[in-house]
Coordinates of all heavy atoms in Angstrom, one line a residue:
M1 N 148.1 71.7 92.0 CA 147.2 72.8 92.1 C 145.8 72.4 91.5 O 145.7 71.6 90.6 CB 147.7 74.0 91.3 CG 146.8 75.3 91.6 SD 147.4 76.7 90.6 CE 149.1 76.8 91.2
L2 N 144.8 72.9 92.1 CA 143.4 72.6 91.7 C 143.1 73.2 90.3 O 143.6 74.3 90.0 CB 142.4 73.1 92.7 CG 142.4 72.4 94.0 CD1 141.4 73.2 94.9 CD2 141.9 71.0 93.9
S3 N 142.4 72.5 89.5 CA 142.0 73.0 88.3 C 140.5 73.3 88.4 O 139.7 72.3 88.7 CB 142.2 72.0 87.2 OG 141.5 72.4 86.0
L4 N 140.1 74.5 88.3 CA 138.7 74.9 88.5 C 138.0 75.0 87.2 O 138.2 75.9 86.4 CB 138.6 76.2 89.3 CG 139.3 76.2 90.7 CD1 139.3 77.5 91.3 CD2 138.7 75.1 91.6
R5 N 137.0 74.1 87.0 CA 136.3 74.1 85.8 C 135.0 74.9 85.8 O 134.6 75.4 84.8 CB 136.0 72.6 85.3 CG 137.3 71.9 85.0 CD 137.0 70.7 84.2 NE 138.2 69.9 84.0 CZ 138.6 68.9 84.8 NH1 137.8 68.6 85.8 NH2 139.7 68.2 84.5
R6 N 134.4 74.9 87.0 CA 133.2 75.6 87.1 C 133.4 77.1 87.2 O 134.4 77.5 87.6 CB 132.4 75.1 88.3 CG 132.0 73.6 88.2 CD 131.5 73.1 89.5 NE 130.4 73.8 90.0 CZ 129.6 73.5 91.0 NH1 129.9 72.3 91.7 NH2 128.7 74.2 91.5
K7 N 132.3 77.8 86.7 CA 132.4 79.2 86.7 C 132.6 79.8 88.1 O 133.5 80.6 88.3 CB 131.2 79.8 86.0 CG 131.2 81.3 85.8 CD 130.1 81.7 84.8 CE 130.1 83.1 84.6 NZ 129.4 83.9 85.6
D8 N 131.8 79.3 89.0 CA 131.8 79.8 90.3 C 132.4 78.8 91.3 O 131.9 77.6 91.2 CB 130.4 80.2 90.8 CG 129.8 81.4 90.0 OD1 130.6 82.3 89.6 OD2 128.7 81.2 89.6
I9 N 133.3 79.2 92.1 CA 133.8 78.2 93.0 C 132.9 78.1 94.2 O 132.2 79.1 94.5 CB 135.3 78.5 93.5 CG1 135.3 79.8 94.2 CG2 136.2 78.5 92.3 CD1 136.7 80.1 94.8
V10 N 132.9 77.0 94.8 CA 132.0 76.8 96.0 C 132.9 76.8 97.2 O 134.1 76.9 97.1 CB 131.3 75.4 95.9 CG1 130.3 75.4 94.7 CG2 132.2 74.3 95.8
C11 N 132.3 76.8 98.4 CA 133.0 77.0 99.6 C 134.1 76.0 99.8 O 135.3 76.3 100.2 CB 132.1 77.0 100.8 SG 131.0 78.4 100.9
Q12 N 133.8 74.7 99.5 CA 134.8 73.7 99.7 C 136.1 74.0 98.8 O 137.2 73.9 99.3 CB 134.3 72.3 99.3 CG 135.2 71.2 99.4 CD 135.7 71.0 100.9 OE1 134.9 71.2 101.8 NE2 136.9 70.6 101.0
Q13 N 135.9 74.5 97.6 CA 137.0 74.8 96.8 C 137.7 76.0 97.3 O 139.0 76.1 97.3 CB 136.5 75.1 95.4 CG 136.0 73.8 94.6 CD 135.4 74.2 93.3 OE1 134.6 75.1 93.2 NE2 135.6 73.4 92.3
A14 N 137.0 77.0 97.8 CA 137.6 78.2 98.4 C 138.5 77.8 99.5 O 139.7 78.3 99.6 CB 136.5 79.2 98.8
V15 N 138.0 76.9 100.4 CA 138.8 76.5 101.5 C 140.1 75.8 101.1 O 141.2 76.1 101.6 CB 138.0 75.5 102.4 CG1 138.9 74.8 103.4 CG2 136.9 76.3 103.1
E16 N 140.0 75.0 100.0 CA 141.2 74.4 99.5 C 142.2 75.3 98.9 O 143.4 75.0 98.8 CB 140.8 73.3 98.6 CG 140.1 72.1 99.3 CD 139.4 71.1 98.3 OE1 139.5 71.4 97.1 OE2 138.9 70.1 98.8
L17 N 141.7 76.4 98.4 CA 142.5 77.4 97.7 C 143.2 78.4 98.7 O 144.1 79.2 98.2 CB 141.7 78.2 96.7 CG 141.2 77.4 95.5 CD1 140.3 78.2 94.6 CD2 142.4 77.0 94.6
V18 N 142.8 78.4 99.9 CA 143.3 79.5 100.8 C 144.8 79.5 100.9 O 145.4 80.6 100.8 CB 142.6 79.3 102.2 CG1 143.4 80.1 103.3 CG2 141.2 79.8 102.2
T19 N 145.4 78.4 101.1 CA 146.9 78.4 101.3 C 147.6 78.8 100.0 O 148.5 79.6 100.0 CB 147.4 77.1 101.8 OG1 146.9 76.0 101.0 CG2 147.0 76.9 103.3
D20 N 147.0 78.3 98.9 CA 147.6 78.7 97.6 C 147.5 80.2 97.4 O 148.4 80.9 96.9 CB 147.0 77.9 96.5 CG 147.5 76.5 96.3 OD1 148.6 76.2 96.9 OD2 146.9 75.7 95.6
Y21 N 146.3 80.7 97.8 CA 146.0 82.1 97.7 C 147.1 82.9 98.5 O 147.6 83.9 98.0 CB 144.6 82.4 98.1 CG 144.3 83.9 98.1 CD1 144.0 84.6 97.0 CD2 144.2 84.6 99.3 CE1 143.7 85.9 97.0 CE2 143.9 86.0 99.4 CZ 143.6 86.6 98.2 OH 143.3 87.9 98.2
L22 N 147.3 82.5 99.7 CA 148.2 83.3 100.6 C 149.6 83.2 100.1 O 150.4 84.0 100.4 CB 148.1 82.7 102.0 CG 146.8 83.1 102.7 CD1 146.7 82.4 104.1 CD2 146.6 84.6 102.9
E23 N 149.9 82.1 99.4 CA 151.3 81.9 98.9 C 151.4 82.6 97.5 O 152.5 82.7 97.0 CB 151.5 80.4 98.6 CG 151.7 79.6 99.8 CD 151.8 78.1 99.5 OE1 151.3 77.7 98.4 OE2 152.5 77.4 100.2
G24 N 150.3 83.1 97.0 CA 150.4 83.7 95.7 C 150.6 82.7 94.6 O 151.1 83.0 93.5
A25 N 150.1 81.5 94.9 CA 150.3 80.4 94.0 C 149.2 80.2 93.0 O 149.3 79.3 92.1 CB 150.6 79.1 94.7
L26 N 148.1 80.9 93.1 CA 147.0 80.8 92.2 C 147.3 81.5 90.9 O 148.0 82.5 90.9 CB 145.7 81.4 92.8 CG 145.2 80.7 94.1 CD1 143.9 81.4 94.5 CD2 144.9 79.2 93.8
S27 N 146.7 81.0 89.9 CA 146.7 81.7 88.6 C 145.8 82.9 88.8 O 145.0 83.0 89.7 CB 146.1 80.8 87.5 OG 144.7 80.6 87.7
R28 N 146.1 83.9 87.9 CA 145.3 85.1 88.0 C 143.8 84.9 88.0 O 143.0 85.4 88.7 CB 145.7 86.1 86.9 CG 145.1 87.5 87.0 CD 145.7 88.4 86.0 NE 147.1 88.5 86.1 CZ 147.8 89.2 85.3 NH1 147.3 89.9 84.3 NH2 149.1 89.3 85.4
R29 N 143.4 83.9 87.1 CA 142.0 83.6 87.0 C 141.4 83.0 88.2 O 140.4 83.3 88.7 CB 141.9 82.6 85.8 CG 140.5 82.4 85.3 CD 140.6 81.6 84.0 NE 139.3 81.2 83.5 CZ 139.2 80.2 82.7 NH1 140.2 79.5 82.2 NH2 138.0 79.9 82.2
D30 N 142.2 82.0 88.8 CA 141.7 81.4 90.0 C 141.6 82.3 91.2 O 140.8 82.3 92.0 CB 142.6 80.2 90.4 CG 142.3 79.0 89.5 OD1 141.3 79.0 88.7 OD2 143.1 78.0 89.5
R31 N 142.6 83.2 91.2 CA 142.7 84.2 92.3 C 141.5 85.1 92.2 O 140.9 85.4 93.2 CB 144.0 85.0 92.1 CG 144.3 86.0 93.2 CD 145.6 86.8 92.9 NE 145.9 87.7 93.9 CZ 146.7 87.4 95.0 NH1 147.2 86.2 95.0 NH2 146.9 88.2 95.9
R32 N 141.1 85.5 91.0 CA 140.0 86.4 90.8 C 138.7 85.6 91.2 O 137.8 86.2 91.9 CB 139.9 86.9 89.4 CG 139.0 88.1 89.3 CD 139.2 88.8 88.0 NE 138.8 87.9 86.9 CZ 139.2 88.1 85.6 NH1 139.9 89.1 85.3 NH2 138.8 87.3 84.7
R33 N 138.6 84.4 90.9 CA 137.4 83.6 91.3 C 137.4 83.5 92.8 O 136.3 83.6 93.4 CB 137.5 82.2 90.7 CG 137.2 82.1 89.3 CD 137.5 80.7 88.8 NE 137.0 80.5 87.5 CZ 137.3 79.4 86.7 NH1 138.1 78.5 87.2 NH2 136.8 79.2 85.6
F34 N 138.5 83.2 93.4 CA 138.6 83.1 94.9 C 138.1 84.4 95.5 O 137.3 84.4 96.4 CB 140.0 82.8 95.3 CG 140.2 82.6 96.7 CD1 140.0 81.4 97.4 CD2 140.8 83.7 97.5 CE1 140.2 81.3 98.7 CE2 141.0 83.5 98.8 CZ 140.7 82.3 99.5
E35 N 138.7 85.5 95.0 CA 138.3 86.8 95.6 C 136.8 87.2 95.4 O 136.2 87.8 96.2 CB 139.2 87.9 95.1 CG 140.6 87.8 95.6 CD 141.6 88.8 95.0 OE1 141.3 89.3 93.9 OE2 142.7 89.0 95.6
T36 N 136.3 86.8 94.2 CA 134.9 87.0 94.0 C 134.0 86.2 94.9 O 133.1 86.7 95.5 CB 134.6 86.6 92.5 OG1 135.3 87.4 91.6 CG2 133.1 86.8 92.2
H37 N 134.5 85.0 95.2 CA 133.7 84.2 96.2 C 133.8 84.8 97.6 O 132.8 84.8 98.2 CB 134.3 82.7 96.2 CG 133.6 81.9 97.2 ND1 132.4 81.2 96.8 CD2 133.8 81.6 98.5 CE1 132.0 80.6 97.9 NE2 132.8 80.7 98.9
L38 N 134.9 85.3 97.9 CA 135.1 85.9 99.3 C 134.2 87.1 99.5 O 133.6 87.3 100.6 CB 136.5 86.3 99.5 CG 137.3 85.4 100.5 CD1 137.3 83.9 100.0 CD2 138.6 85.9 100.8
K39 N 134.0 87.9 98.4 CA 133.2 89.0 98.5 C 131.7 88.6 98.8 O 131.0 89.4 99.4 CB 133.2 89.9 97.2 CG 134.5 90.8 97.2 CD 134.5 91.5 95.9 CE 135.9 92.1 95.7 NZ 136.2 92.4 94.3
A40 N 131.3 87.5 98.2 CA 129.9 87.0 98.4 C 129.7 86.1 99.5 O 128.6 85.7 99.8 CB 129.5 86.3 97.1
C41 N 130.8 85.7 100.2 CA 130.7 84.7 101.2 C 131.5 85.1 102.5 O 132.7 84.9 102.6 CB 131.2 83.4 100.7 SG 131.0 82.0 101.8
P42 N 130.8 85.7 103.5 CA 131.4 86.1 104.7 C 132.1 85.0 105.4 O 133.1 85.2 106.1 CB 130.3 86.7 105.5 CG 129.2 86.9 104.6 CD 129.3 86.0 103.5
N43 N 131.6 83.8 105.3 CA 132.2 82.6 106.0 C 133.6 82.4 105.5 O 134.5 82.1 106.3 CB 131.3 81.4 105.8 CG 130.0 81.5 106.6 OD1 130.0 82.0 107.7 ND2 129.0 80.9 106.1
C44 N 133.7 82.4 104.2 CA 135.0 82.1 103.6 C 136.0 83.3 103.9 O 137.2 83.1 104.1 CB 135.0 81.8 102.1 SG 134.3 80.1 101.8
A45 N 135.5 84.5 103.9 CA 136.3 85.6 104.2 C 136.8 85.5 105.6 O 138.0 85.8 105.9 CB 135.5 86.9 104.0
A46 N 135.9 85.1 106.5 CA 136.4 84.9 107.9 C 137.4 83.8 108.1 O 138.3 83.9 108.8 CB 135.1 84.6 108.8
Y47 N 137.2 82.8 107.3 CA 138.1 81.6 107.3 C 139.5 82.0 106.8 O 140.5 81.7 107.4 CB 137.5 80.5 106.4 CG 138.4 79.3 106.3 CD1 138.4 78.4 107.3 CD2 139.2 79.0 105.2 CE1 139.2 77.2 107.3 CE2 140.0 77.9 105.1 CZ 140.0 77.0 106.1 OH 140.7 75.9 106.1
L48 N 139.5 82.8 105.8 CA 140.8 83.3 105.3 C 141.5 84.2 106.4 O 142.7 84.0 106.6 CB 140.6 84.2 104.0 CG 141.9 84.9 103.5 CD1 142.9 83.9 103.0 CD2 141.5 85.8 102.4
E49 N 140.8 85.0 107.0 CA 141.3 85.8 108.1 C 141.9 85.0 109.2 O 142.9 85.2 109.8 CB 140.3 86.8 108.6 CG 140.2 88.1 107.8 CD 141.5 88.7 107.4 OE1 142.3 89.0 108.3 OE2 141.8 88.8 106.2
Q50 N 141.1 83.9 109.5 CA 141.5 83.0 110.6 C 142.9 82.3 110.3 O 143.7 82.2 111.1 CB 140.4 81.9 110.8 CG 140.7 81.0 111.9 CD 140.4 81.6 113.3 OE1 139.7 82.6 113.4 NE2 141.2 81.2 114.3
I51 N 143.0 81.9 109.0 CA 144.3 81.3 108.6 C 145.4 82.3 108.7 O 146.5 82.1 109.1 CB 144.1 80.7 107.2 CG1 143.1 79.6 107.2 CG2 145.5 80.3 106.7 CD1 143.5 78.4 106.5
R52 N 145.1 83.5 108.2 CA 146.1 84.6 108.2 C 146.6 84.8 109.7 O 147.8 85.0 110.0 CB 145.5 85.9 107.7 CG 145.7 86.1 106.2 CD 145.5 87.5 105.9 NE 145.8 87.7 104.4 CZ 144.9 88.3 103.6 NH1 143.8 88.8 104.1 NH2 145.2 88.5 102.3
M53 N 145.6 84.9 110.6 CA 145.9 85.2 112.0 C 146.7 84.0 112.6 O 147.7 84.2 113.3 CB 144.7 85.4 112.8 CG 144.2 86.8 112.8 SD 142.5 87.0 113.4 CE 142.6 86.1 114.9
T54 N 146.3 82.8 112.2 CA 147.0 81.6 112.7 C 148.5 81.6 112.3 O 149.4 81.3 113.0 CB 146.4 80.3 112.2 OG1 145.0 80.3 112.6 CG2 147.1 79.1 112.6
I55 N 148.7 82.0 111.0 CA 150.1 82.1 110.5 C 150.9 83.2 111.2 O 152.0 83.0 111.6 CB 150.1 82.4 109.0 CG1 149.5 81.1 108.3 CG2 151.4 82.7 108.5 CD1 149.2 81.4 106.8
Q56 N 150.2 84.3 111.5 CA 150.9 85.4 112.2 C 151.2 84.9 113.6 O 152.4 85.2 114.1 CB 150.0 86.6 112.3 CG 150.1 87.4 111.0 CD 149.3 88.7 111.0 OE1 148.5 88.9 112.0 NE2 149.3 89.5 110.0
L57 N 150.3 84.3 114.3 CA 150.5 83.9 115.7 C 151.5 82.9 115.8 O 152.2 82.8 116.8 CB 149.2 83.4 116.3 CG 148.1 84.5 116.6 CD1 146.8 83.8 117.0 CD2 148.5 85.4 117.6
A58 N 151.7 82.1 114.7 CA 152.7 81.0 114.8 C 154.1 81.6 114.5 O 155.0 80.8 114.4 CB 152.3 80.0 113.7
G59 N 154.2 82.9 114.3 CA 155.5 83.5 114.1 C 155.9 83.7 112.7 O 157.1 83.7 112.4
G60 N 154.9 83.9 111.9 CA 155.2 84.3 110.5 C 155.7 83.1 109.6 O 156.4 83.3 108.7
I61 N 155.1 82.0 110.0 CA 155.5 80.8 109.1 C 154.8 81.0 107.7 O 153.8 81.7 107.6 CB 155.1 79.5 109.7 CG1 153.5 79.5 109.9 CG2 155.8 79.2 111.0 CD1 153.0 78.1 110.3
E62 N 155.4 80.3 106.8 CA 154.8 80.3 105.5 C 153.6 79.4 105.5 O 153.6 78.4 106.2 CB 155.8 79.8 104.4 CG 157.0 80.8 104.3 CD 156.5 82.2 103.8 OE1 155.7 82.2 102.9 OE2 157.0 83.1 104.4
P63 N 152.6 79.7 104.6 CA 151.4 78.7 104.6 C 151.8 77.3 104.3 O 151.2 76.4 104.7 CB 150.6 79.3 103.4 CG 150.9 80.7 103.4 CD 152.4 80.8 103.8
D64 N 152.9 77.1 103.6 CA 153.5 75.8 103.3 C 153.8 75.0 104.6 O 153.8 73.8 104.6 CB 154.8 75.9 102.5 CG 154.5 75.6 101.0 OD1 153.4 75.1 100.7 OD2 155.5 75.8 100.3
D65 N 154.1 75.8 105.6 CA 154.5 75.1 106.9 C 153.3 74.7 107.7 O 153.4 74.1 108.7 CB 155.3 76.1 107.7 CG 156.7 76.3 107.0 OD1 157.1 75.5 106.2 OD2 157.3 77.4 107.3
L66 N 152.1 75.1 107.3 CA 150.9 74.6 108.0 C 150.8 73.1 107.9 O 150.8 72.6 106.8 CB 149.6 75.2 107.4 CG 149.2 76.6 107.9 CD1 147.9 77.0 107.2 CD2 148.9 76.6 109.4
S67 N 150.8 72.5 109.0 CA 150.7 71.0 109.0 C 149.3 70.6 108.5 O 148.4 71.3 108.6 CB 151.0 70.4 110.4 OG 149.9 70.8 111.2
P68 N 149.3 69.4 108.0 CA 147.9 68.8 107.6 C 147.0 68.9 108.8 O 145.8 69.1 108.7 CB 148.2 67.4 107.2 CG 149.6 67.4 106.8 CD 150.3 68.4 107.7
E69 N 147.5 68.6 110.0 CA 146.7 68.7 111.2 C 146.1 70.0 111.5 O 144.9 70.2 111.8 CB 147.5 68.2 112.4 CG 147.8 66.7 112.4 CD 149.0 66.4 111.5 OE1 149.7 67.4 111.1 OE2 149.3 65.2 111.3
A70 N 147.0 71.1 111.3 CA 146.5 72.4 111.5 C 145.5 72.8 110.5 O 144.5 73.4 110.8 CB 147.7 73.4 111.5
T71 N 145.7 72.4 109.3 CA 144.7 72.7 108.2 C 143.4 72.0 108.5 O 142.4 72.5 108.3 CB 145.3 72.2 106.9 OG1 146.6 72.8 106.7 CG2 144.4 72.6 105.7
Q72 N 143.5 70.8 109.0 CA 142.3 70.0 109.4 C 141.6 70.7 110.5 O 140.3 70.8 110.5 CB 142.7 68.6 109.8 CG 141.5 67.7 110.0 CD 140.7 67.5 108.7 OE1 141.2 67.2 107.6 NE2 139.4 67.7 108.8
D73 N 142.3 71.2 111.5 CA 141.7 71.9 112.6 C 140.9 73.1 112.1 O 139.8 73.3 112.5 CB 142.7 72.4 113.6 CG 143.3 71.2 114.5 OD1 142.7 70.1 114.4 OD2 144.2 71.5 115.2
L74 N 141.5 73.8 111.2 CA 140.8 75.0 110.7 C 139.6 74.6 109.8 O 138.6 75.3 109.8 CB 141.8 75.8 109.8 CG 142.9 76.5 110.7 CD1 144.0 77.0 109.8 CD2 142.3 77.7 111.4
T75 N 139.8 73.5 109.1 CA 138.6 73.1 108.3 C 137.5 72.6 109.2 O 136.3 72.9 108.9 CB 139.1 71.9 107.4 OG1 140.2 72.3 106.6 CG2 138.0 71.5 106.5
D76 N 137.8 72.0 110.3 CA 136.8 71.6 111.3 C 136.1 72.8 111.9 O 134.9 72.9 112.0 CB 137.4 70.8 112.4 CG 137.8 69.4 111.9 OD1 137.4 69.0 110.8 OD2 138.5 68.7 112.6
L77 N 136.9 73.8 112.2 CA 136.4 75.1 112.8 C 135.4 75.7 111.8 O 134.3 76.1 112.1 CB 137.6 76.0 113.1 CG 137.2 77.4 113.6 CD1 136.6 77.3 115.0 CD2 138.4 78.3 113.6
Y78 N 135.9 75.7 110.5 CA 135.1 76.3 109.5 C 133.7 75.6 109.3 O 132.7 76.2 109.2 CB 135.9 76.2 108.2 CG 135.1 76.6 107.0 CD1 135.0 77.9 106.6 CD2 134.6 75.7 106.1 CE1 134.3 78.3 105.5 CE2 133.9 76.0 105.0 CZ 133.8 77.4 104.7 OH 133.1 77.7 103.6
R79 N 133.8 74.2 109.4 CA 132.6 73.5 109.3 C 131.6 73.8 110.4 O 130.4 73.8 110.2 CB 132.9 72.0 109.3 CG 133.6 71.5 108.0 CD 133.2 70.1 107.7 NE 133.9 69.7 106.4 CZ 135.0 69.1 106.4 NH1 135.6 68.7 107.5 NH2 135.5 68.7 105.2
R80 N 132.2 74.0 111.6 CA 131.3 74.4 112.7 C 130.6 75.7 112.5 O 129.4 75.9 112.8 CB 132.1 74.4 114.1 CG 132.4 73.0 114.6 CD 132.7 73.1 116.1 NE 133.9 73.9 116.4 CZ 135.1 73.3 116.3 NH1 135.3 72.0 116.0 NH2 136.2 74.0 116.5
W81 N 131.3 76.7 112.0 CA 130.7 77.9 111.6 C 129.6 77.8 110.7 O 128.5 78.3 110.8 CB 131.7 78.9 111.0 CG 132.8 79.4 112.0 CD1 132.7 79.4 113.3 CD2 134.0 80.0 111.6 NE1 133.8 79.9 113.9 CE2 134.6 80.3 112.9 CE3 134.6 80.4 110.4 CZ2 135.9 81.0 112.9 CZ3 135.8 81.0 110.5 CH2 136.5 81.3 111.7
R82 N 129.9 76.9 109.7 CA 128.9 76.7 108.6 C 127.6 76.1 109.2 O 126.5 76.3 108.6 CB 129.5 75.8 107.5 CG 130.7 76.4 106.8 CD 130.2 77.2 105.6 NE 129.6 76.3 104.7 CZ 128.7 76.8 103.7 NH1 128.5 78.0 103.6 NH2 128.1 75.9 102.9
S83 N 127.8 75.3 110.2 CA 126.6 74.5 110.7 C 125.8 75.3 111.7 O 124.7 74.9 112.1 CB 127.0 73.2 111.2 OG 127.9 73.4 112.3
E84 N 126.3 76.4 112.1 CA 125.6 77.2 113.1 C 124.4 77.9 112.5 O 124.3 78.2 111.4 CB 126.5 78.3 113.7 CG 127.4 77.7 114.8 CD 128.4 78.8 115.2 OE1 128.4 79.9 114.7 OE2 129.3 78.4 116.0
Ligands
LIG101 ZN1 132.3 80.3 100.8

C-alpha cells in the first residue's frame, strides 16, 4: 500500500489509490484524503466512476481482478482527459 506523506494527495496518487479505495483497503486517513481530493477534482471523480462502471460491466469483478493492462488503459484514458 502507498504511504502518503504529503498533506494533499495529487492526481497521480489518487489514480493509484482508486482500486484500494474500491476494495476498502485504504486506511481511514488515506481514504479521507482520497475523498477530499475527489471533491476538489472532477477529473479524478470521473476516473473513479469510470473504474466503477468498468468493474460493473465486467460482471462484478473485484478491483483485484483488474488486469495491469486494464488499469493501464484506464490510466491512459485518464491522461487524455487531463490533456484536453
Ligand atoms: Zn485529481
Side-chain angles (χ1 to χ4, degrees):
M1 189 184 300
L2 289 172
S3 171
L4 302 177
R5 292 199 184 90
R6 292 168 58 170
K7 185 166 180 275
D8 299 316
I9 63 174
V10 297
C11 290
Q12 180 63 36
Q13 289 172 320
V15 167
E16 289 170 356
L17 289 173
V18 162
T19 52
D20 280 346
Y21 175 76
L22 290 172
E23 288 175 332
L26 293 179
S27 68
R28 186 173 303 179
R29 194 172 172 195
D30 285 350
R31 187 183 181 89
R32 199 165 61 198
R33 284 172 170 171
F34 181 82
E35 289 173 342
T36 298
H37 180 84
L38 252 62
K39 278 179 196 154
C41 184
N43 287 325
C44 284
Y47 180 76
L48 174 64
E49 280 312 303
Q50 185 72 30
I51 296 227
R52 269 197 178 127
M53 275 168 48
T54 300
I55 291 169
Q56 280 181 356
L57 289 172
I61 60 168
E62 296 298 317
D64 255 353
D65 295 333
L66 274 180
S67 67
E69 291 78 13
T71 306
Q72 187 61 50
D73 284 350
L74 289 165
T75 304
D76 289 345
L77 178 69
Y78 173 81
R79 289 211 178 97
R80 281 201 296 277
W81 289 344
R82 297 268 301 158
S83 63
E84 275 172 6

